[in-house]
Amino acid sequence: DRGDVVVRAKTALELQCPGVVSCADVLALATRELLIMLGGPFYHVRLGRKDALNSTAASVEGQLPGPNMTVDQLISLFARKGFTAQELVALSGAHTVGFSHCDHYDGRNRNAYDPAMNPQFAQALQKACANYTTDPTIAAFNDVMTPGKFDNLYYQNLLRGLGLLASDQALVAHPRTKPFVELYAANQTAFFRDFAHAMEKVSVLGVKTGRKGEVRRRCDAFNTLST
């Protein structure tokens, strides 16, 4: 369980050096180490970020890419954060691992298959998600070929119509993103290089320092009720 790993890491740190390492730093480092364990590239993580003094679901709205966004919407969203279309494609490669629940992609093949999808893949997803309305835990791997390995198969899958999310598959059809999908599908070294660089940028995006945040004693609670 991801939360349990963070709790155990934070507890160990608090016992050794209380009030020094934030939960945000723990998460940033845990992400990097997990990617390396799965075969992904090393990238530098700058430390010293603080944890937020507030946390609301409403503040997330419009800040993260959605599974049904158009490529133009994704490019605009990433541009507002200082990322290029190429960095959007490189970061999307994180979908070479992990899974998504059926409600994120069922609309692509509920009535008629999305023509961008491989027909056999669409049929298999439709069958797998048949009961997801009564069992919302049903999910599929984002990369159906090597779901537990960080590699460039995600991009090769897109070229074969095997992209799970509509927003992933659309990257192949858009003139500003297609060349990078093709580049990374053919060259894993280029993908790893550009992904690592983009992740270094992500790791310092909107970080809180000084009095703008705190080092939480527990990751699931603020240090004081007043915050």
Side-chain angles (χ1 to χ4, degrees), residues 22-225:
S22 67
C23 297
D25 274 354
V26 172
L27 284 167
L29 285 170
T31 299
R32 196 267 309 275
E33 296 308 306
L34 174 61
L35 291 179
I36 292 173
M37 287 172 60
L38 297 177
F42 171 90
Y43 58 90
H44 293 283
V45 177
R46 291 165 61 183
L47 302 176
R49 53 180 64 74
K50 296 289 185 67
D51 298 315
L53 295 170
N54 57 65
S55 180
T56 62
S59 65
V60 179
E61 189 67 30
Q63 302 300 314
L64 296 174
N68 295 307
M69 280 186 173
T70 66
V71 175
D72 286 330
Q73 289 173 327
L74 290 171
I75 289 174
S76 177
L77 173 64
F78 275 71
R80 292 199 299 272
K81 307 292 184 182
F83 293 87
T84 66
Q86 181 168 4
E87 288 169 331
L88 155 64
V89 178
L91 289 170
S92 296
H95 286 173
T96 190
V97 293
F99 60 86
S100 297
H101 290 100
C102 290
D103 61 340
H104 286 156
Y105 52 84
D106 182 62
R108 298 184 67 197
N109 61 359
R110 185 179 299 127
N111 299 315
Y113 298 148
D114 180 341
M117 294 181 81
N118 175 289
Q120 286 76 28
F121 181 52
Q123 188 174 15
L125 286 177
Q126 189 178 58
K127 192 173 297 183
C129 291
N131 298 318
Y132 91 90
T133 53
T134 55
D135 183 2
T137 64
I138 298 175
F141 290 118
N142 292 323
D143 174 357
V144 294
M145 296 299 182
T146 55
K149 184 179 179 182
F150 196 95
D151 55 23
N152 68 333
L153 262 290
Y154 162 81
Y155 300 102
Q156 295 178 29
N157 290 342
L158 297 186
L159 295 176
R160 300 175 184 135
L162 299 176
L164 182 64
L165 304 179
S167 56
D168 285 335
Q169 192 62 55
L171 296 175
V172 182
H174 198 285
R176 289 188 61 187
T177 52
K178 182 179 180 180
F180 304 120
V181 172
E182 294 175 332
L183 168 64
Y184 298 146
N187 189 333
Q188 180 168 280
T189 300
F191 164 47
F192 277 18
R193 179 197 64 219
D194 294 346
F195 178 84
H197 177 71
M199 282 299 292
E200 288 178 4
K201 286 181 64 174
V202 169
S203 72
V204 296
L205 179 65
V207 298
K208 292 173 173 57
T209 58
R211 300 183 66 181
K212 295 180 180 178
E214 66 180 4
V215 175
R216 294 186 192 177
R217 289 185 288 271
R218 288 179 40 157
C219 293
D220 61 348
F222 303 117
N223 287 344
T224 62
L225 291 176

Side-chain angles (χ1 to χ4, degrees), residues 10-30:
K10 177 62 173 172
T11 301
L13 286 164
E14 286 299 303
L15 290 172
Q16 292 295 320
C17 47
V20 175
V21 184
S22 67
C23 297
D25 274 354
V26 172
L27 284 167
L29 285 170

